[in-house]
Amino acid sequence: MRHTGSLASGMSLRDLKQLIKTGEGTYLEFKRVISSPEKIAREICAFANTKGGNLLIGVDDDKTIVGVESYHEQEFLLEQAAEKICTPHVKYTMEILPYFLRDIMLVRIKEAVIKPVSVQTNKKDAPYVRRLDKSVRASKEVIHILRNESSSEGVTFEFGHNERLLLRYLNEYERITVKEFSDLVNVSNRVASKILVDLVSAGVIRLFSQDKRDYFTLSQ
């Protein structure tokens, strides 16, 4: 098994209810039950690619505590997802909180050292990241940024004419897409994407998503 730590949780029922009260978000996801390794692997993958996070198994989307009859079957599905479907394997810890005659599972997903983590589906790798309270498929640019985060070589770039035009544009219009930057400096989407990714990795600009689109803006 890849998980570590004690199964018995030191968290009180009061602490659990306070955690649930905060609601789902970037670092917290509720699941009434793990229905399949494939589905829970997306959440595990997304947390690992972002900053880590917690899964509460036995809690409904409306924050109702329902519990699971036995954590053993759920633990098996969780292990299958983290070890066999996520690649590289994802490390996690698991705690069990008794709730009347049922159990609540608190699964703490650690941020991956080697990124991107992908979900293997039909022999294809699909990386996911956390966006607010959703686990979404990572864009090409996000995948490259994740790879840069894991690289020990660092990112170097030449601050030239295209970069100056970008900063001037962002100072005036605040955000830009890959296509808009491509048109602005008259380069291919591939070249525009690489410039933007390198600047994100260097901390000059940042990427954010809105309405299922990736935008780039100044880091400040």
Side-chain angles (χ1 to χ4, degrees), residues 12-22 65 99:
S12 67
L13 181 58
R14 181 179 178 181
D15 291 337
L16 173 65
K17 289 182 176 179
Q18 281 297 115
L19 179 61
I20 293 171
K21 189 176 179 180
T22 64
I65 303 176
Y99 185 71

Side-chain angles (χ1 to χ4, degrees), residues 164-175 218:
R164 285 193 292 272
L165 284 178
L166 171 65
L167 296 190
R168 192 179 305 161
Y169 182 96
L170 291 177
N171 274 314
E172 185 171 355
Y173 298 104
E174 295 188 354
R175 68 183 192 182
L218 294 173

Side-chain angles (χ1 to χ4, degrees), residues 7-46:
L7 290 181
S9 177
M11 179 179 286
S12 67
L13 181 58
R14 181 179 178 181
D15 291 337
L16 173 65
K17 289 182 176 179
Q18 281 297 115
L19 179 61
I20 293 171
K21 189 176 179 180
T22 64
E24 292 180 307
T26 305
Y27 306 105
L28 183 61
E29 175 77 17
F30 302 151
K31 289 294 179 186
R32 184 182 184 95
V33 68
I34 299 176
S35 58
S36 72
E38 292 77 15
K39 289 183 179 179
I40 202 65
R42 296 179 184 181
E43 318 296 350
I44 295 172
C45 172

Side-chain angles (χ1 to χ4, degrees), residues 10-212:
M11 179 179 286
S12 67
L13 181 58
R14 181 179 178 181
D15 291 337
L16 173 65
K17 289 182 176 179
Q18 281 297 115
L19 179 61
I20 293 171
K21 189 176 179 180
T22 64
E24 292 180 307
T26 305
Y27 306 105
L28 183 61
E29 175 77 17
F30 302 151
K31 289 294 179 186
R32 184 182 184 95
V33 68
I34 299 176
S35 58
S36 72
E38 292 77 15
K39 289 183 179 179
I40 202 65
R42 296 179 184 181
E43 318 296 350
I44 295 172
C45 172
F47 281 133
N49 279 331
T50 312
K51 297 297 180 182
N54 298 322
L55 283 169
L56 272 176
I57 314 299
V59 179
D60 222 335
D61 289 340
D62 64 1
K63 304 181 183 179
T64 302
I65 303 176
V66 293
V68 295
E69 289 187 4
S70 173
Y71 71 83
H72 297 290
E73 181 181 350
Q74 299 291 291
E75 182 184 14
F76 174 76
L77 297 175
L78 183 70
E79 184 181 334
Q80 292 288 304
E83 293 194 16
K84 298 186 182 300
I85 298 177
C86 289
T87 177
H89 303 317
V90 175
K91 293 183 178 180
Y92 62 92
T93 61
M94 188 179 74
E95 301 172 22
I96 303 301
L97 296 85
Y99 185 71
F100 296 98
L101 298 178
R102 289 176 169 253
D103 296 314
I104 307 296
M105 298 170 64
L106 173 59
V107 183
R108 302 183 189 273
I109 311 298
K110 297 182 178 181
E111 181 179 3
V113 176
I114 300 175
K115 301 178 182 180
V117 175
S118 297
V119 174
Q120 291 183 317
T121 56
N122 298 324
K123 298 183 179 180
K124 292 183 180 180
D125 290 344
Y128 286 81
V129 291
R130 198 71 179 167
R131 292 286 181 258
L132 299 178
D133 61 346
K134 304 292 182 185
S135 297
V136 300
R137 183 85 172 260
S139 67
K140 178 177 63 177
E141 285 71 35
V142 170
I143 292 170
H144 285 305
I145 291 168
L146 291 173
R147 284 176 181 159
N148 287 344
E149 286 181 8
S150 299
S151 174
S152 59
E153 297 179 1
V155 176
T156 58
F157 65 93
E158 181 179 346
F159 199 86
H161 177 67
N162 292 340
E163 288 77 8
R164 285 193 292 272
L165 284 178
L166 171 65
L167 296 190
R168 192 179 305 161
Y169 182 96
L170 291 177
N171 274 314
E172 185 171 355
Y173 298 104
E174 295 188 354
R175 68 183 192 182
I176 196 169
T177 64
V178 171
K179 179 64 169 61
E180 288 168 344
F181 181 51
S182 170
D183 293 340
L184 176 69
V185 298
N186 194 29
V187 297
S188 67
N189 281 353
R190 182 182 62 81
V191 172
S193 174
K194 185 179 187 310
I195 292 172
L196 292 169
V197 165
D198 286 348
L199 289 173
V200 170
S201 299
V204 178
I205 62 175
R206 67 179 179 88
L207 180 151
F208 71 96
S209 298
Q210 186 175 27
D211 300 327
K212 298 182 179 180

